[in-house]
Amino acid sequence: MSQDLFDTNTPDQTTHQDPIFVAEQAHLTQTYNKLIELRDALNAELEAAHEGAAKDLKDLSDEIRVDFGGADETMETLAAIETLNAVIDAYNQYHDFSVDKLRRILLALQRPYFAMVRLQMRPNRPARDIYIGAAGVTDDARRPLIVDWRSPVAETYYNQQMGETSYLVDGKERKVTLELRRQYDISRNVLHNYFDTTIAIQDSMLLNTLKKHHSKKLQAITATIQREQNQIVRHEDVPALLVDGIAGSGKTSVLLQRIAYLFYQEREILRPDQVYLFTPNSVFESYIDQVLPSLGESNPQVFTWKSFMSELGLSERNSGATDSLDSLNALEAALPHLKLQREDFKELRMHDTALLKPQQIASALAKFSQFPPGPKLIALTKDELHERLNRRMGQLAKHEDLQEEMLSLTLEEQVELFGESLNPVNDEETLAYAKRYVDLLFSAAHEEIEKATWLRFDRIGMRMLKTDHLTAAEWLYLKMLITGTYARDARFVLIDEVQDYTATQLTVLSHYFKRAHFMLLGDKHQAIFEGTASFDEVQDIFVQSHGSIEVIQLTTSYRSSPEITQLFASLLDPSERRTLSSIHRPGVTPQIMAFEDTDAYLAQLHQTVTQAHEHEGLTAIICAHKDRASWLAKQLPDNVVCVHDGKPLPHKGVILIDLTLAKGLEFDEVIIPDAQEAEYDNSELSRRRLYTAISRAMHQVTILSQGTLSPALSPALKEVLT
């Protein structure tokens, strides 16, 4: 028997007495075996296709006679090569299609499906069972074995509305009757459990699943998505959407599912390089790097603010993240009065050849002096510069030195550049070849014109701001103001932890991606840095740049136990606490201890860490800042892993991490080792920092203070520990 056909993990024996369980296991076995058949057949097809392709390509290659001796021979050779290329393209298309299908089958084999809905599609007709999984798979007759969780019909599972319901197909509403909504706990071909429910978050199986320790990645998050989250994932495409959710409300899961949903909805036209995801740090980036592949999609372009500026070639500058918005406003106000000077232009040069001198660029711009500084003026100037560059390249083609250089190319170089050998019979043909040669040599110069590298933005901006340098944010914003530069191909931009962004950062991003639609996710209570934009400011920025912004709130914690949720909620204003809730059953009461004696404090810290090592999952010791983490690293045993920026998280054990890097992550247990007043005073910022640290925990929190306990935790002592 093939190993794929059995799994050593078997369900509880009592389930064999349940006829529904037996029937569902039989269906799973049948589906799994069919997936195995499809996988094996596709592998065989691909292998046969590869062998056939190799033979066909060899036969065709053998038939090609490379002959560039004359015009007719050259045309025949090029035509034969073109035929070979067409055959290669056809094989590549078949290969890509088959590999994509195989990828979906392999994904389904890990967990074929996680839910089923029984729908009566038409009155007086038998209901149909539709199984929902991370990837859609059809059988040999193109009948759906499993439907993709993003397909329109799958919405009947997520909207949690029993009885008469509906879903949209190509903008048209289709009414159906939902008779049954069933969830499964499945590993490969083994059914562990099932549960029939009307509202997912109230069923015991899901609660049990959520209580289990999470894996190192946000795996299979589609199975536990809730109605309020689903409304965001499947939200209509709008210019800007702001999701304001409490800690543990599933914002990151929603963000990733939203990306996967967009890829599915626009799978014919949307490319991964058209989607940008901004994450708080590189640790978080590595934390989620396998989530979208687990949902059947490729990752988009992922950046931090720092790496984004580096991608634009601005890594040597101060990133400008903390710049005041006043500097951007000052640039905008000064633009109408800007007078460009000759020294604001620089020579366009390639291959040690001056193509356009600053004076020529200045005179080109002067032709359109009736226009004020800005994109219109620069666009007209670019057109003029392209014409002047073409004339300059025409002059270069007439130079004897260049023509001799061209004619001295080897035969291989000539064929590579021109597609033929060079045999000019007169000066006219030589000049024609030389013009083509110059175009090849200096074609990138036209790109430099388009990128406006001939403008000295630093000199211009420093004069406008009366300063001696420009930050990356100022430089980029100035370039956008003057040239109208922006990311033309970007379709969607998603920003996680938006409360950590300044008004300057968001203004720059909203202008650079002005044609893209934005999804912003954050929690205003986790704004742990000074000077970041309030949610009111966030809304103002995107109303100005995109015309409107919608706001959706998430107030249920799916991460933390009720005790932990109550603990971090105690740090909020009383009016906000009443709206927060946890879906979990009661858990472990948080421990809060203060020690005046350093030895007693360290003894308790060591004891807490030792106990954490005995538990399953991952425990994080979250320090207020890097300096505190450095001191504690020297006090803790070697089996505590210190996590730095760019370092991936381990699967289990105990780690030491500072609060900045811990943002956006979740852990089975959290230890806060420095909750003393010296680190967390009674300010609003300190309360937000403690809220952020505590809310990283799912099951257990221990808070230790080396000295007087932070007064910000006084409400917690009264409400949680009484």
Side-chain angles (χ1 to χ4, degrees):
M1 180 181 293
S2 169
Q3 271 195 307
D4 291 303
L5 301 181
F6 66 92
D7 194 302
T8 56
N9 296 319
T10 56
D12 190 283
Q13 293 299 316
T14 58
T15 58
H16 292 308
Q17 302 172 8
D18 178 1
I20 295 178
F21 183 95
V22 173
E24 288 290 359
Q25 177 62 67
H27 177 82
L28 173 60
T29 300
Q30 181 182 13
T31 302
Y32 194 85
N33 290 344
K34 186 61 180 177
L35 291 171
I36 294 293
E37 290 178 16
L38 292 172
R39 182 201 64 184
D40 293 345
L42 199 52
N43 276 329
E45 286 179 22
L46 280 168
E47 186 175 347
H50 290 163
E51 292 176 358
K55 183 178 184 304
D56 288 348
L57 295 180
K58 182 180 184 303
D59 292 343
L60 285 170
S61 298
D62 290 343
E63 292 176 7
I64 295 176
R65 293 174 54 203
V66 179
D67 186 353
F68 296 104
D72 291 341
E73 291 80 1
T74 297
M75 290 298 293
E76 288 181 8
T77 299
L78 294 177
I81 293 173
E82 185 62 30
T83 299
L84 180 61
N85 288 337
V87 172
I88 293 172
D89 289 341
Y91 276 121
N92 285 340
Q93 289 176 7
Y94 170 80
H95 176 270
D96 292 345
F97 173 81
S98 299
V99 167
D100 180 66
K101 185 177 180 181
L102 181 60
R103 175 188 59 80
R104 286 184 279 111
I105 291 172
L106 293 176
L107 180 60
L109 282 169
Q110 298 174 35
R111 187 187 189 192
Y113 46 82
F114 54 80
M116 181 268 281
V117 288
R118 182 167 295 159
L119 298 177
Q120 188 178 52
M121 312 300 286
R122 296 185 182 89
N124 303 319
R125 296 289 297 275
R128 290 172 50 194
D129 290 348
I130 297 172
Y131 290 83
I132 302 168
V137 180
T138 57
D139 62 16
D140 298 326
R142 304 186 71 82
R143 293 185 299 259
L145 285 175
I146 307 160
V147 302
D148 193 292
W149 66 275
R150 297 160 293 183
S151 65
V153 71
E155 189 172 357
T156 59
Y157 168 75
Y158 289 114
N159 65 24
Q160 303 183 14
Q161 183 178 344
M162 299 297 292
E164 292 186 3
T165 185
S166 64
Y167 59 95
L168 294 177
V169 181
D170 297 329
K172 296 180 180 179
E173 183 182 37
R174 182 164 186 179
K175 294 182 179 180
V176 295
T177 300
L178 177 58
E179 296 183 356
L180 178 66
R181 184 177 183 278
R182 181 168 290 166
Q183 297 171 252
Y184 303 100
D185 180 8
I186 288 173
S187 299
R188 297 174 68 82
N189 62 335
V190 174
L191 174 63
H192 299 292
N193 208 343
Y194 76 92
F195 199 91
D196 294 341
T197 178
T198 57
I199 301 177
I201 207 62
Q202 293 178 349
D203 74 73
S204 60
M205 187 192 76
L206 179 56
L207 288 170
N208 183 59
T209 299
L210 287 171
K211 279 184 174 292
K212 290 179 181 178
H213 296 305
H214 289 205
S215 64
K216 63 173 181 173
K217 308 290 184 184
L218 298 169
Q219 297 292 347
I221 54 179
T222 52
T224 57
I225 182 174
Q226 301 311 306
R227 186 173 186 176
E228 62 179 1
Q229 297 172 331
N230 179 58
Q231 291 173 345
I232 300 171
V233 172
R234 297 172 185 263
H235 197 283
E236 65 177 323
D237 192 11
V238 294
L241 181 65
L242 173 60
V243 178
D244 180 6
I246 68 162
S249 58
K251 296 184 296 296
T252 300
S253 294
V254 166
L255 177 149
L256 295 168
Q257 292 187 71
R258 176 66 172 176
I259 295 174
Y261 181 74
L262 291 171
F263 279 140
Y264 180 84
Q265 290 296 103
E266 303 195 31
R267 52 192 176 278
E268 300 298 329
I269 57 175
L270 183 61
R271 305 188 310 270
D273 64 342
Q274 294 176 308
V275 181
Y276 292 73
L277 170 58
F278 283 84
T279 66
N281 52 61
S282 58
V283 172
F284 184 76
E285 180 180 340
S286 66
Y287 181 65
I288 64 169
D289 64 358
Q290 291 302 314
V291 175
L292 283 169
S294 77
L295 299 180
E297 296 296 346
S298 301
N299 279 323
Q301 299 200 67
V302 184
F303 292 102
T304 61
W305 171 260
K306 182 178 180 181
S307 67
F308 175 65
M309 286 301 174
S310 178
E311 179 76 9
L312 296 177
L314 302 172
S315 59
E316 299 301 317
R317 300 170 183 266
N318 179 321
S319 77
T322 58
D323 287 355
S324 167
L325 196 58
D326 292 343
S327 63
L328 303 191
N329 292 334
L331 288 171
E332 200 159 352
L335 184 64
H337 312 290
L338 174 65
K339 302 294 182 184
L340 291 172
Q341 305 169 359
R342 178 178 175 178
E343 290 77 10
D344 293 333
F345 308 108
K346 59 182 177 181
E347 183 178 72
L348 185 60
R349 170 180 288 269
M350 290 192 70
H351 306 305
D352 295 327
T353 301
L355 299 175
L356 292 173
K357 296 184 178 297
Q359 179 57 45
Q360 293 173 294
I361 297 173
S363 67
L365 187 136
K367 288 183 62 176
F368 311 103
S369 58
Q370 69 271 31
F371 294 100
K376 177 68 173 178
L377 173 61
I378 297 303
L380 292 169
T381 303
K382 285 180 180 179
D383 290 341
E384 177 67 20
L385 291 178
H386 284 305
E387 291 183 11
R388 295 190 180 200
L389 177 60
N390 287 334
R391 291 198 294 269
R392 171 65 173 144
M393 290 165 67
Q395 294 169 355
L396 290 172
K398 297 177 182 178
H399 288 187
E400 290 184 4
D401 290 345
L402 184 135
Q403 292 180 4
E404 288 181 9
E405 175 187 313
M406 174 190 69
L407 294 173
S408 64
L409 294 172
T410 66
L411 179 61
E412 290 77 10
E413 290 172 334
Q414 292 176 18
V415 172
E416 181 181 354
L417 289 172
F418 296 92
E420 59 182 316
S421 61
L422 306 184
N423 295 298
V425 297
N426 52 41
D427 291 345
E428 185 178 344
E429 285 192 11
T430 300
L431 180 59
Y433 279 124
K435 287 180 178 179
R436 289 172 61 186
Y437 184 54
V438 168
D439 287 342
L440 291 168
L441 282 179
F442 301 110
S443 60
H446 286 288
E447 297 176 18
E448 296 300 307
I449 289 176
E450 284 301 311
K451 290 189 291 188
T453 57
W454 40 274
L455 278 170
R456 298 183 183 274
F457 292 105
D458 278 295
R459 190 179 189 282
I460 297 167
M462 290 188 295
R463 190 166 72 249
M464 294 170 74
L465 293 178
K466 297 180 174 60
T467 184
D468 59 357
H469 71 282
L470 293 185
T471 65
E474 291 167 342
W475 189 95
L476 180 57
Y477 196 71
L478 175 62
K479 183 176 182 180
M480 289 189 287
L481 288 175
I482 292 178
T483 68
T485 298
Y486 64 94
R488 297 180 182 275
D489 288 341
R491 295 279 312 283
F492 297 99
V493 177
L494 302 98
I495 302 178
D496 202 12
E497 304 289 342
V498 70
Q499 76 279 348
D500 289 340
Y501 285 73
T502 63
T504 291
Q505 289 174 295
L506 294 174
T507 299
V508 169
L509 292 175
S510 68
H511 283 72
Y512 188 78
F513 297 104
K514 67 179 183 179
R515 281 190 180 176
H517 285 186
F518 276 77
M519 184 177 183
L520 316 162
L521 301 97
D523 178 1
K524 55 181 174 286
H525 306 304
Q526 293 187 60
I528 65 171
F529 304 112
E530 294 281 10
T532 54
S534 69
F535 273 29
D536 287 339
E537 289 176 303
V538 172
Q539 293 180 60
D540 289 343
I541 289 168
F542 283 91
V543 166
Q544 291 181 29
S545 65
H546 284 65
S548 64
I549 185 170
E550 291 191 33
V551 182
I552 298 179
Q553 292 188 325
L554 297 173
T555 59
T556 301
S557 174
Y558 299 98
R559 173 193 299 148
S560 305
S561 68
E563 293 81 2
I564 296 172
T565 301
Q566 184 182 358
L567 177 58
F568 66 70
S570 71
L571 296 162
L572 306 180
D573 184 89
S575 63
E576 294 183 284
R577 297 179 208 168
R578 289 192 294 270
T579 65
L580 308 188
S581 63
S582 168
I583 57 87
H584 292 275
R585 293 169 179 165
V588 180
T589 300
Q591 300 294 307
I592 303 179
M593 293 172 275
F595 300 87
E596 293 300 328
D597 180 72
T598 299
D599 291 338
Y601 160 78
L602 289 174
Q604 182 60 55
L605 178 59
H606 276 262
Q607 179 182 338
T608 304
V609 170
T610 300
Q611 291 172 345
H613 272 295
E614 296 172 355
H615 300 160
E616 294 181 8
L618 185 61
T619 296
I621 305 171
I622 302 179
C623 300
H625 49 76
K626 290 181 180 179
D627 289 345
R628 183 68 181 173
S630 297
W631 181 82
L632 277 167
K634 300 173 184 176
Q635 319 303 320
L636 293 169
D638 293 339
N639 58 1
V640 174
V641 178
C642 296
V643 175
H644 307 289
D645 196 8
K647 184 174 183 178
L649 297 178
H651 304 179
K652 59 183 180 179
V654 181
I655 65 170
L656 179 65
I657 188 171
D658 69 81
L659 180 58
T660 300
L661 292 182
K663 285 184 60 61
L665 307 180
E666 61 181 34
F667 307 97
D668 296 276
E669 183 177 345
V670 163
I671 301 168
I672 300 174
D674 47 11
Q676 54 266 25
E677 186 175 13
E679 299 294 346
Y680 297 96
D681 57 22
N682 201 29
S683 66
E684 177 63 26
L685 181 62
S686 286
R687 283 193 290 274
R688 293 199 299 265
R689 290 171 65 79
L690 282 167
Y691 169 101
T692 303
I694 294 168
S695 63
R696 301 306 92 205
M698 291 188 286
H699 307 300
Q700 190 167 339
V701 168
T702 302
I703 299 176
L704 304 177
S705 170
Q706 187 183 4
T708 305
L709 187 70
S710 167
L713 288 168
S714 296
L717 290 170
K718 294 178 182 178
E719 296 186 21
V720 178
L721 302 181
T722 56

